[in-house]
Amino acid sequence: LNGKLHELTHLNPNTTVLEYLRLHERQTDTKEGCASGDCGACTVMAQRLPIDDIEQASATPFYTLNSCITLLSLMDGHHLMTAAYLADNPEHHPERALLHPAQQAMVDCHGSQCGFCTPGFVMSLASVYENQRLQKNQDTTTDDLDYDDIVASISGNLCRCTGYRPIIDAGLAMEGIGQQRDADQTAAKDFTINLATDAMASSKNTASTKLSAIKPVLTQESRKLFMPTSIDALNQVLAANPTATIWAGGTDLGLSVTQHMVDHEVIVQLSAIEELKSWSLTGSDEPTDGDKKTEQVPTQSLVLGAGMSYQQMLPVLEQYFPEFAAIFERIASPQIRNMGTIGGNIANASPIGDLPPILLALDAQVYLRHCASDSNDNNHSQASYTDETISLSAFFLDYKKTKLRAGSYVVDIHIPLMQDNQHLYIHKISKRYEDDISACLLAARIDLSADGKTIEQANLGLGGMAAIPLLAESCQQALIGQSVDVASFETAAQMLSMDVSPMTDVRASREYRMHVMQRLIIKCGKQLVAGMQPASA
């Protein structure tokens, strides 16, 4: 934390990063705004520590997170930084403190008024600045930060009084400040930490040894936190603790602690399992986990580990599903995308989750593992398990109810690769363009005949329209066999009331949802027809 090693073994596993910073470390420069991961006032910056002396910390990017809903244990093996740490010597020599370019730019551009949101903005700006500095150290052709880079970096931070123009100006001014310091030969502070000392290296090795055992790594009274480091260890932990709360990124589950005051007795955290963060292609030369039943899945599928964060998935989806990747800038905030996982988004089973409707449209399958114990003695039990691969459409049963049961977890998700005759369209409707929950979301995959004149198959994934994410089966049937024209989609849209009866809530009325979704179906038809037109000379 801020350059100093911290080791903890006895702490409530439900402790968030924000609670630890403010109440345990008295690090009050990090603020609590909404306690739900929405406003960004609590934003902090982190960098994963190198695993060993060979790995270089300079190759690991910085990232931001919402400390209010992030469990402290998710920071195991990381360097956690707050706004106070960015400046050089502010504590011992305040009159000679050298502010970070993000901080100095906020001062110069008058980017702060009441100041409550300022530390969060500073951390978001500092993160994009430091990552660009890392890239320039590795590649001199790296482009300078532009307007879009700055807006994207602060899209998860809300300001209630100053307005965003001076904050964006500050972001654009950071590089100039850094370049001027380089010209003045003022050394920039290095935030990366390598395993340079024997004490830290020994500590990390000890921590790694402890994590490999099937024992809680944090305890307080009856509360326990397990951090298995492999799939096998996870199977054993869940077999012995089938009712434990499984915690991935916790970007929604964290609200159970901060909003509903739930004190989870046993938490099994997945962040240390690298196997769940990998991806592969079935039916290719790329390696897959031979332990998995991939034979049940179409041979050409993208397999995404359930522990992959949105940010980790993005470059993979950009390569294989560019339309899918393009919607990511509309999903939550950078802080949430850095922590939230695909498996968590699916297992959470929210009817307004952004990924499930898209995965439904893509005929995704979900690979589940159900763990059980062969013994009633938790100290000596052996794990047994059964595996199940099912379509995602069969996974969701009712509101917040799925095929998962006690001791179950999502291993990975299989997405068939798009074919030349398939077209994907995704539309999200929300009150704010960025960092907002969907009022409704439509994902449409349309399969055409070889001559491109007839619709052979249609998958319409709906979000925000029912108690679960689902396919609009009546609308789909109305499209199959029809010609590729807008009238076919207008007819299909009229069938929507046979598939869903949406509710009215704070985000939208049922009438609005129904009307907008019908118009979105027609919009997909217009996009398809326009895309089939020959390019003009």
Side-chain angles (χ1 to χ4, degrees), residues 329-356:
E329 67 178 18
R330 298 288 316 281
I331 297 177
S333 65
Q335 294 93 320
I336 295 295
R337 294 196 295 270
N338 287 332
M339 300 302 295
T341 65
I342 182 173
N345 196 249
I346 291 172
N348 190 42
S350 170
I352 49 177
D354 290 307
L355 299 188

mmCIF file of all heavy atoms in Angstrom, residues 329-356:
data_model
loop_
_atom_site.group_PDB
_atom_site.id
_atom_site.type_symbol
_atom_site.label_atom_id
_atom_site.label_comp_id
_atom_site.label_asym_id
_atom_site.label_seq_id
_atom_site.Cartn_x
_atom_site.Cartn_y
_atom_site.Cartn_z
ATOM 1 N N GLU A 329 -17.624 -0.018 -24.524
ATOM 2 C CA GLU A 329 -17.528 1.353 -24.023
ATOM 3 C C GLU A 329 -18.848 1.831 -23.429
ATOM 4 O O GLU A 329 -18.872 2.828 -22.709
ATOM 5 C CB GLU A 329 -17.089 2.297 -25.132
ATOM 6 C CG GLU A 329 -18.105 2.470 -26.245
ATOM 7 C CD GLU A 329 -17.647 3.448 -27.302
ATOM 8 O OE1 GLU A 329 -16.439 3.730 -27.378
ATOM 9 O OE2 GLU A 329 -18.511 3.933 -28.066
ATOM 10 N N ARG A 330 -19.932 1.110 -23.705
ATOM 11 C CA ARG A 330 -21.236 1.437 -23.132
ATOM 12 C C ARG A 330 -21.499 0.652 -21.846
ATOM 13 O O ARG A 330 -22.519 0.887 -21.183
ATOM 14 C CB ARG A 330 -22.362 1.112 -24.135
ATOM 15 C CG ARG A 330 -22.339 1.861 -25.443
ATOM 16 C CD ARG A 330 -22.735 3.316 -25.285
ATOM 17 N NE ARG A 330 -23.884 3.492 -24.425
ATOM 18 C CZ ARG A 330 -25.166 3.286 -24.810
ATOM 19 N NH1 ARG A 330 -25.426 2.892 -26.040
ATOM 20 N NH2 ARG A 330 -26.156 3.489 -23.969
ATOM 21 N N ILE A 331 -20.647 -0.297 -21.532
ATOM 22 C CA ILE A 331 -20.876 -1.163 -20.370
ATOM 23 C C ILE A 331 -20.144 -0.594 -19.161
ATOM 24 O O ILE A 331 -18.920 -0.534 -19.120
ATOM 25 C CB ILE A 331 -20.408 -2.607 -20.646
ATOM 26 C CG1 ILE A 331 -21.227 -3.225 -21.783
ATOM 27 C CG2 ILE A 331 -20.531 -3.471 -19.399
ATOM 28 C CD1 ILE A 331 -20.789 -4.618 -22.183
ATOM 29 N N ALA A 332 -20.899 -0.133 -18.191
ATOM 30 C CA ALA A 332 -20.352 0.318 -16.904
ATOM 31 C C ALA A 332 -19.267 1.372 -17.101
ATOM 32 O O ALA A 332 -19.381 2.258 -17.942
ATOM 33 C CB ALA A 332 -19.845 -0.878 -16.102
ATOM 34 N N SER A 333 -18.201 1.280 -16.312
ATOM 35 C CA SER A 333 -17.119 2.267 -16.299
ATOM 36 C C SER A 333 -15.794 1.526 -16.407
ATOM 37 O O SER A 333 -15.736 0.301 -16.250
ATOM 38 C CB SER A 333 -17.155 3.048 -14.983
ATOM 39 O OG SER A 333 -16.873 2.185 -13.886
ATOM 40 N N PRO A 334 -14.693 2.245 -16.664
ATOM 41 C CA PRO A 334 -13.389 1.564 -16.672
ATOM 42 C C PRO A 334 -13.110 0.829 -15.367
ATOM 43 O O PRO A 334 -12.558 -0.281 -15.376
ATOM 44 C CB PRO A 334 -12.388 2.704 -16.896
ATOM 45 C CG PRO A 334 -13.169 3.756 -17.619
ATOM 46 C CD PRO A 334 -14.560 3.673 -17.065
ATOM 47 N N GLN A 335 -13.491 1.447 -14.234
ATOM 48 C CA GLN A 335 -13.242 0.815 -12.940
ATOM 49 C C GLN A 335 -13.976 -0.521 -12.830
ATOM 50 O O GLN A 335 -13.423 -1.506 -12.321
ATOM 51 C CB GLN A 335 -13.688 1.744 -11.807
ATOM 52 C CG GLN A 335 -12.887 3.026 -11.679
ATOM 53 C CD GLN A 335 -13.493 4.189 -12.441
ATOM 54 O OE1 GLN A 335 -13.979 4.025 -13.556
ATOM 55 N NE2 GLN A 335 -13.477 5.376 -11.837
ATOM 56 N N ILE A 336 -15.226 -0.550 -13.293
ATOM 57 C CA ILE A 336 -16.009 -1.787 -13.227
ATOM 58 C C ILE A 336 -15.485 -2.798 -14.235
ATOM 59 O O ILE A 336 -15.366 -3.995 -13.938
ATOM 60 C CB ILE A 336 -17.497 -1.492 -13.485
ATOM 61 C CG1 ILE A 336 -18.072 -0.609 -12.378
ATOM 62 C CG2 ILE A 336 -18.296 -2.788 -13.604
ATOM 63 C CD1 ILE A 336 -18.106 -1.247 -11.015
ATOM 64 N N ARG A 337 -15.155 -2.355 -15.442
ATOM 65 C CA ARG A 337 -14.668 -3.285 -16.469
ATOM 66 C C ARG A 337 -13.322 -3.887 -16.080
ATOM 67 O O ARG A 337 -12.972 -4.977 -16.529
ATOM 68 C CB ARG A 337 -14.563 -2.573 -17.824
ATOM 69 C CG ARG A 337 -15.902 -2.134 -18.387
ATOM 70 C CD ARG A 337 -15.801 -1.789 -19.861
ATOM 71 N NE ARG A 337 -14.960 -0.647 -20.135
ATOM 72 C CZ ARG A 337 -15.367 0.615 -20.186
ATOM 73 N NH1 ARG A 337 -16.649 0.894 -19.949
ATOM 74 N NH2 ARG A 337 -14.531 1.596 -20.468
ATOM 75 N N ASN A 338 -12.557 -3.203 -15.246
ATOM 76 C CA ASN A 338 -11.288 -3.755 -14.781
ATOM 77 C C ASN A 338 -11.486 -4.894 -13.787
ATOM 78 O O ASN A 338 -10.594 -5.734 -13.619
ATOM 79 C CB ASN A 338 -10.454 -2.657 -14.122
ATOM 80 C CG ASN A 338 -9.876 -1.679 -15.133
ATOM 81 O OD1 ASN A 338 -9.642 -2.030 -16.285
ATOM 82 N ND2 ASN A 338 -9.650 -0.444 -14.703
ATOM 83 N N MET A 339 -12.622 -4.928 -13.109
ATOM 84 C CA MET A 339 -12.851 -5.922 -12.054
ATOM 85 C C MET A 339 -13.907 -6.959 -12.420
ATOM 86 O O MET A 339 -13.770 -8.136 -12.096
ATOM 87 C CB MET A 339 -13.267 -5.212 -10.758
ATOM 88 C CG MET A 339 -12.241 -4.224 -10.223
ATOM 89 S SD MET A 339 -10.620 -4.961 -9.890
ATOM 90 C CE MET A 339 -11.051 -6.100 -8.571
ATOM 91 N N GLY A 340 -14.990 -6.531 -13.067
ATOM 92 C CA GLY A 340 -16.097 -7.436 -13.376
ATOM 93 C C GLY A 340 -15.673 -8.543 -14.325
ATOM 94 O O GLY A 340 -14.853 -8.338 -15.231
ATOM 95 N N THR A 341 -16.247 -9.744 -14.163
ATOM 96 C CA THR A 341 -15.887 -10.911 -14.974
ATOM 97 C C THR A 341 -17.085 -11.412 -15.761
ATOM 98 O O THR A 341 -18.242 -11.193 -15.387
ATOM 99 C CB THR A 341 -15.360 -12.054 -14.093
ATOM 100 O OG1 THR A 341 -16.434 -12.511 -13.237
ATOM 101 C CG2 THR A 341 -14.186 -11.599 -13.246
ATOM 102 N N ILE A 342 -16.811 -12.134 -16.838
ATOM 103 C CA ILE A 342 -17.884 -12.683 -17.656
ATOM 104 C C ILE A 342 -18.658 -13.752 -16.877
ATOM 105 O O ILE A 342 -19.884 -13.820 -16.949
ATOM 106 C CB ILE A 342 -17.341 -13.241 -18.988
ATOM 107 C CG1 ILE A 342 -18.490 -13.756 -19.852
ATOM 108 C CG2 ILE A 342 -16.295 -14.323 -18.763
ATOM 109 C CD1 ILE A 342 -18.068 -14.162 -21.253
ATOM 110 N N GLY A 343 -17.939 -14.585 -16.104
ATOM 111 C CA GLY A 343 -18.627 -15.610 -15.313
ATOM 112 C C GLY A 343 -19.502 -14.996 -14.246
ATOM 113 O O GLY A 343 -20.623 -15.462 -13.995
ATOM 114 N N GLY A 344 -19.018 -13.924 -13.606
ATOM 115 C CA GLY A 344 -19.809 -13.250 -12.598
ATOM 116 C C GLY A 344 -21.045 -12.609 -13.174
ATOM 117 O O GLY A 344 -22.128 -12.648 -12.576
ATOM 118 N N ASN A 345 -20.922 -12.015 -14.357
ATOM 119 C CA ASN A 345 -22.067 -11.371 -14.996
ATOM 120 C C ASN A 345 -23.150 -12.386 -15.340
ATOM 121 O O ASN A 345 -24.345 -12.095 -15.217
ATOM 122 C CB ASN A 345 -21.603 -10.629 -16.251
ATOM 123 C CG ASN A 345 -22.623 -9.635 -16.766
ATOM 124 O OD1 ASN A 345 -23.206 -9.831 -17.823
ATOM 125 N ND2 ASN A 345 -22.837 -8.565 -16.019
ATOM 126 N N ILE A 346 -22.724 -13.580 -15.749
ATOM 127 C CA ILE A 346 -23.690 -14.627 -16.085
ATOM 128 C C ILE A 346 -24.298 -15.227 -14.826
ATOM 129 O O ILE A 346 -25.517 -15.351 -14.700
ATOM 130 C CB ILE A 346 -23.001 -15.713 -16.933
ATOM 131 C CG1 ILE A 346 -22.663 -15.152 -18.313
ATOM 132 C CG2 ILE A 346 -23.885 -16.950 -17.055
ATOM 133 C CD1 ILE A 346 -21.806 -16.082 -19.139
ATOM 134 N N ALA A 347 -23.451 -15.600 -13.857
ATOM 135 C CA ALA A 347 -23.946 -16.247 -12.640
ATOM 136 C C ALA A 347 -24.814 -15.312 -11.813
ATOM 137 O O ALA A 347 -25.718 -15.757 -11.099
ATOM 138 C CB ALA A 347 -22.767 -16.746 -11.803
ATOM 139 N N ASN A 348 -24.551 -14.003 -11.901
ATOM 140 C CA ASN A 348 -25.357 -13.019 -11.175
ATOM 141 C C ASN A 348 -26.804 -13.024 -11.637
ATOM 142 O O ASN A 348 -27.712 -12.679 -10.883
ATOM 143 C CB ASN A 348 -24.740 -11.621 -11.371
ATOM 144 C CG ASN A 348 -25.361 -10.587 -10.472
ATOM 145 O OD1 ASN A 348 -25.619 -10.833 -9.298
ATOM 146 N ND2 ASN A 348 -25.607 -9.416 -11.034
ATOM 147 N N ALA A 349 -27.019 -13.396 -12.900
ATOM 148 C CA ALA A 349 -28.362 -13.602 -13.468
ATOM 149 C C ALA A 349 -29.251 -12.372 -13.379
ATOM 150 O O ALA A 349 -30.464 -12.492 -13.225
ATOM 151 C CB ALA A 349 -29.042 -14.796 -12.788
ATOM 152 N N SER A 350 -28.665 -11.209 -13.501
ATOM 153 C CA SER A 350 -29.481 -9.990 -13.513
ATOM 154 C C SER A 350 -30.213 -9.891 -14.846
ATOM 155 O O SER A 350 -29.613 -10.103 -15.905
ATOM 156 C CB SER A 350 -28.610 -8.758 -13.307
ATOM 157 O OG SER A 350 -29.340 -7.579 -13.553
ATOM 158 N N PRO A 351 -31.490 -9.532 -14.834
ATOM 159 C CA PRO A 351 -32.219 -9.385 -16.101
ATOM 160 C C PRO A 351 -31.738 -8.206 -16.931
ATOM 161 O O PRO A 351 -32.076 -8.101 -18.110
ATOM 162 C CB PRO A 351 -33.668 -9.190 -15.651
ATOM 163 C CG PRO A 351 -33.577 -8.675 -14.247
ATOM 164 C CD PRO A 351 -32.358 -9.308 -13.661
ATOM 165 N N ILE A 352 -30.934 -7.301 -16.314
ATOM 166 C CA ILE A 352 -30.408 -6.158 -17.056
ATOM 167 C C ILE A 352 -28.887 -6.240 -17.202
ATOM 168 O O ILE A 352 -28.238 -5.234 -17.480
ATOM 169 C CB ILE A 352 -30.812 -4.828 -16.389
ATOM 170 C CG1 ILE A 352 -30.510 -4.844 -14.894
ATOM 171 C CG2 ILE A 352 -32.270 -4.520 -16.646
ATOM 172 C CD1 ILE A 352 -30.805 -3.544 -14.188
ATOM 173 N N GLY A 353 -28.328 -7.427 -17.016
ATOM 174 C CA GLY A 353 -26.913 -7.613 -17.292
ATOM 175 C C GLY A 353 -26.651 -7.400 -18.783
ATOM 176 O O GLY A 353 -27.469 -7.780 -19.631
ATOM 177 N N ASP A 354 -25.520 -6.814 -19.120
ATOM 178 C CA ASP A 354 -25.257 -6.461 -20.515
ATOM 179 C C ASP A 354 -24.797 -7.636 -21.368
ATOM 180 O O ASP A 354 -25.078 -7.677 -22.567
ATOM 181 C CB ASP A 354 -24.203 -5.350 -20.581
ATOM 182 C CG ASP A 354 -24.738 -4.020 -20.071
ATOM 183 O OD1 ASP A 354 -25.794 -3.597 -20.561
ATOM 184 O OD2 ASP A 354 -24.106 -3.420 -19.187
ATOM 185 N N LEU A 355 -24.072 -8.582 -20.800
ATOM 186 C CA LEU A 355 -23.505 -9.658 -21.603
ATOM 187 C C LEU A 355 -24.501 -10.768 -21.967
ATOM 188 O O LEU A 355 -24.470 -11.255 -23.106
ATOM 189 C CB LEU A 355 -22.290 -10.266 -20.902
ATOM 190 C CG LEU A 355 -21.107 -9.339 -20.627
ATOM 191 C CD1 LEU A 355 -19.915 -10.146 -20.120
ATOM 192 C CD2 LEU A 355 -20.719 -8.537 -21.857
ATOM 193 N N PRO A 356 -25.360 -11.230 -21.054
ATOM 194 C CA PRO A 356 -26.212 -12.376 -21.377
ATOM 195 C C PRO A 356 -27.040 -12.245 -22.656
ATOM 196 O O PRO A 356 -27.085 -13.205 -23.443
ATOM 197 C CB PRO A 356 -27.100 -12.518 -20.130
ATOM 198 C CG PRO A 356 -26.223 -12.041 -19.020
ATOM 199 C CD PRO A 356 -25.466 -10.887 -19.614
#
